Amino acid sequence: MKTIRINAKIYVFLFLIVLNMGCDSFLDVNENPNAPISENLPLSAKLPAALVATVNQEVGPINQIGGFWGGYWGTNNEGANLFFDLKTYNGLDIRDQRDGIPIWENGYNNILYFKLIQEEAEAEGDLFYVGSSKIMQGWLFLRLVDFYNNIPFDEAGRGNTYLNPTYEPGEQVYRKAVQLISEGIQDVKSSSVIPSQTHGDVLFGGQKNLWAKFGNTVKLRALIRQSEKGDPNYINAALQAIQQEGSGFLQSGESASVNPGYLNTPGKLNPFWVSYYRDAQGAFTSNHQHIRPTTYLITQYKGLNDPRLQRLYMDVNGEYRGVLFGNPDAGNPDYSRINTSAFRGPAENGGSPTGIFHSFNQSSVLLSDSESLFLQAEAVLRGWLSGDLPGLLQAATASSLDYMKVGAVEKSAYLLQEAARFDSAENKLEYLILQKWLSLNSISSVEAWNDHRRLGLPNFPATIASGVDGRPLRLMYPETERGTNYDQVLAQGSDFTLRDKVWWTP
């Protein structure tokens, strides 16, 4: 596997990522920064680098896949030729070595880096870095299974020890990843040397309780993912273990967000901001000019009189206008740039934060408090956990409204309206998933695709691009892997995007 034979290069690669992000506070070390190898970069510089690389993958290509495959995004007429592979579910081109989307490659690069941090921390007896690295490896392994199903686990991230690592069943990797996270939580809780926000931990600032809650929330997500296909006995035992551990889950105001110190200069802005809104000179990006909400998304916000709609998008002559995913009618002026709703940001909001664009230095969301609360609510709805279901649902929606800068009066009115709607809903799971979908819009969009594969909810339209029949179920193994570990790839059987499922998909 190509991605586990670059253990020296990965230090240089991630160091340059951090350097380009302008994270001076945790690069202020005595060692020569022009020779960033294991001996001369402390763990307090390596962990932030790995966290930044991981969240960049989340808010970049992973969120983009979810944006299109989760029912949120389409393109206007002027962008009809953009994102063609995603709009046509073209697994062959997505896996392309040169022009594809490197989910596999970057995922295993990051696993390797966290593994190296773990090994160095174990040698130094620093349990905080051991534990946090284990938790993040678990996160990455779970993500890769969600995209590819069977993947290497035991023989992954081991440098040159295994040139052709053995694949393991996706369900088995899930269980091992959950166990790895459990071990990481215990290591972090047992640690004594705690890094700070500005020097060592750009996720939680060394707050051990938040690392434990984060780990438990990632495990809960993994268990919820198995709701339609998993072993009930395993799920029940895993939930009991979380409760016995005792730290609980992320609550309101406890989002897992990374901020290494973004600056309003080229190469150092928040990566989501600079990709989908404005550059350092304040100019619109191409994505901002061409990506538009789907008509289905607009319809759902309108149907609920949801105040997030006007916080997220620009109106067109008093109306909010979306596009059809797949551009079947690109000649229709109704779907032109000028006649469809672009994302709203501070420049269109009197300089104030709004929707998903707050500032060039906003934190990058890894896992939001809103998602955590929706996960807890679904677990309670299923009878897996005890708790206040209406209260959790209200808190989850309220966190989303706060993030998108909805005012207090509108927020209160909407929550009262939705409480009544939930009470009268015949299908409470369908309602919960709809609110979750509306809340994670363009923040953690991939979770919408995951929920749809799991439940068929919400029932947003598939692409209507010419010649496409079906919905995306997975990614195909990339050419980089096929070229270096072909026998293992071949042994996994068919991996067609529109036909073959990951293990937890019913």
Side-chain angles (χ1 to χ4, degrees):
M1 180 168 72
K2 178 180 178 181
T3 54
I4 64 165
R5 296 201 296 269
I6 54 173
N7 53 343
K9 295 179 181 178
I10 193 68
Y11 280 93
V12 179
F13 170 70
L14 286 169
F15 175 80
L16 291 175
I17 287 176
V18 176
L19 184 63
N20 288 335
M21 296 308 299
C23 309
D24 298 329
S25 58
F26 56 76
L27 291 178
D28 184 18
V29 295
N30 294 325
E31 292 82 356
N32 175 14
N34 295 313
I37 57 176
S38 178
E39 306 87 80
N40 57 30
L41 270 182
L43 291 170
S44 59
K46 291 172 184 171
L47 180 65
L51 290 170
V52 168
T54 301
V55 81
N56 284 356
Q57 175 88 334
E58 286 288 325
V59 303
I62 288 177
N63 192 50
Q64 188 173 91
I65 291 171
F68 288 108
W69 290 2
Y72 298 119
W73 295 355
T75 54
N76 53 30
N77 289 348
E78 290 82 352
N81 293 325
L82 300 175
F83 308 106
F84 187 76
D85 297 340
L86 290 174
K87 289 187 288 190
T88 58
Y89 309 149
N90 191 335
L92 286 170
D93 283 353
I94 291 171
R95 79 177 187 185
D96 183 72
Q97 183 166 352
R98 184 174 61 182
D99 299 320
I101 305 176
I103 301 300
W104 178 282
E105 296 87 340
N106 290 347
Y108 272 109
N109 283 348
N110 291 335
I111 286 171
L112 172 58
Y113 197 72
F114 280 117
K115 182 67 173 177
L116 292 170
I117 293 171
Q118 175 194 335
E119 291 173 351
E120 184 174 339
E122 287 173 340
E124 296 181 8
D126 194 326
L127 289 178
F128 181 88
Y129 290 99
V130 172
S132 55
S133 295
K134 286 181 179 178
I135 292 170
M136 293 310 302
Q137 287 174 69
W139 168 286
L140 290 160
F141 278 118
L142 292 169
R143 268 287 186 249
L144 287 169
V145 171
D146 293 342
F147 280 110
Y148 298 101
N149 200 32
N150 303 339
I151 62 171
F153 183 90
D154 285 347
E155 297 181 2
R158 304 287 294 275
N160 293 326
T161 303
Y162 298 102
L163 299 182
N164 304 106
T166 301
Y167 283 50
E168 301 178 38
E171 183 174 9
Q172 180 174 305
V173 174
Y174 246 60
R175 295 191 181 193
K176 289 184 175 182
V178 167
Q179 178 59 34
L180 186 62
I181 293 171
S182 298
E183 295 172 6
I185 290 171
Q186 293 303 320
D187 288 333
V188 167
K189 289 172 63 177
S190 301
S191 62
S192 56
V193 178
I194 308 301
S196 67
Q197 176 73 34
T198 57
H199 200 83
D201 180 9
V202 293
L203 185 58
F204 293 121
Q207 297 183 71
K208 297 192 291 184
N209 64 316
L210 292 183
W211 271 102
K213 288 184 176 185
F214 171 65
N216 284 334
T217 306
V218 177
K219 292 198 295 180
L220 181 60
R221 180 204 271 171
L223 298 174
I224 290 288
R225 197 86 87 224
Q226 305 173 47
S227 65
E228 310 306 301
K229 200 74 177 288
D231 177 359
N233 292 327
Y234 168 75
I235 293 172
N236 183 59
L239 288 168
Q240 288 182 359
I242 291 173
Q243 292 176 308
Q244 290 171 1
E245 186 277 325
S247 297
F249 308 101
L250 293 173
Q251 302 299 317
S252 296
E254 295 179 338
S255 290
S257 300
V258 171
N259 197 326
Y262 299 116
L263 301 174
N264 193 27
T265 57
K268 299 181 181 181
L269 293 90
N270 173 284
F272 184 78
W273 173 281
V274 77
S275 181
Y276 297 102
Y277 187 52
R278 299 293 185 99
D279 63 19
Q281 288 73 43
F284 288 122
T285 64
S286 174
N287 286 335
H288 186 270
Q289 295 185 66
H290 296 125
I291 290 176
R292 293 293 186 265
T294 62
T295 55
Y296 181 85
L297 177 62
I298 294 291
T299 298
Q300 299 309 306
Y301 280 126
K302 281 185 176 180
L304 296 173
N305 194 28
D306 194 316
R308 287 172 289 195
L309 178 60
Q310 56 263 40
R311 300 296 184 275
L312 284 162
Y313 303 108
M314 297 293 295
D315 69 279
V316 180
N317 298 322
E319 290 290 329
Y320 294 92
R321 303 181 184 275
V323 297
L324 301 177
F325 179 46
N327 299 101
D329 193 10
N332 188 331
D334 287 345
Y335 305 122
S336 66
R337 180 188 303 170
I338 196 172
N339 288 324
T340 50
S341 294
F343 281 122
R344 178 185 292 273
E348 299 79 35
N349 196 53
S352 298
T354 184
I356 54 176
F357 296 105
H358 302 166
S359 67
F360 66 85
N361 61 353
Q362 67 188 57
S363 298
S364 294
V365 177
L366 190 63
L367 194 158
S368 68
D369 55 352
S370 182
E371 183 188 349
S372 175
L373 291 160
F374 277 115
L375 291 169
Q376 294 170 60
E378 183 173 345
V380 171
L381 178 61
R382 291 182 178 277
W384 293 4
L385 297 174
S386 60
D388 176 9
L389 175 56
L392 285 167
L393 194 56
Q394 287 270 292
T397 306
S399 291
S400 169
L401 296 168
D402 288 341
Y403 185 83
M404 295 187 187
K405 308 303 180 183
V406 173
V409 174
E410 291 176 300
K411 172 185 171 183
S412 178
Y414 184 73
L415 290 174
L416 287 173
Q417 163 194 304
E418 292 312 296
R421 192 182 299 270
F422 177 70
D423 288 341
S424 62
E426 293 185 10
N427 189 329
K428 287 183 166 48
L429 178 61
E430 183 176 351
Y431 172 88
L432 186 154
I433 296 299
L434 174 62
Q435 278 297 329
K436 180 182 179 184
W437 183 68
L438 296 172
S439 297
L440 299 186
N441 175 11
S442 304
I443 300 169
S444 296
S445 299
V446 73
E447 292 308 311
W449 178 47
N450 290 331
D451 281 341
H452 191 274
R453 287 188 289 168
R454 175 172 66 100
L455 300 168
L457 299 172
N459 190 25
F460 49 79
T463 187
I464 42 182
S466 177
V468 180
D469 183 21
R471 288 181 180 270
L473 298 171
R474 59 167 295 157
L475 294 186
M476 303 174 75
Y477 293 112
E479 289 181 0
T480 52
E481 179 69 359
R482 290 168 61 87
T484 58
N485 200 14
Y486 182 71
D487 288 343
Q488 281 294 317
V489 172
L490 191 65
Q492 309 316 308
S494 176
D495 65 348
F496 287 112
T497 294
L498 292 172
R499 187 180 69 197
D500 300 303
K501 303 175 180 180
V502 300
W503 77 271
W504 47 258
T505 306

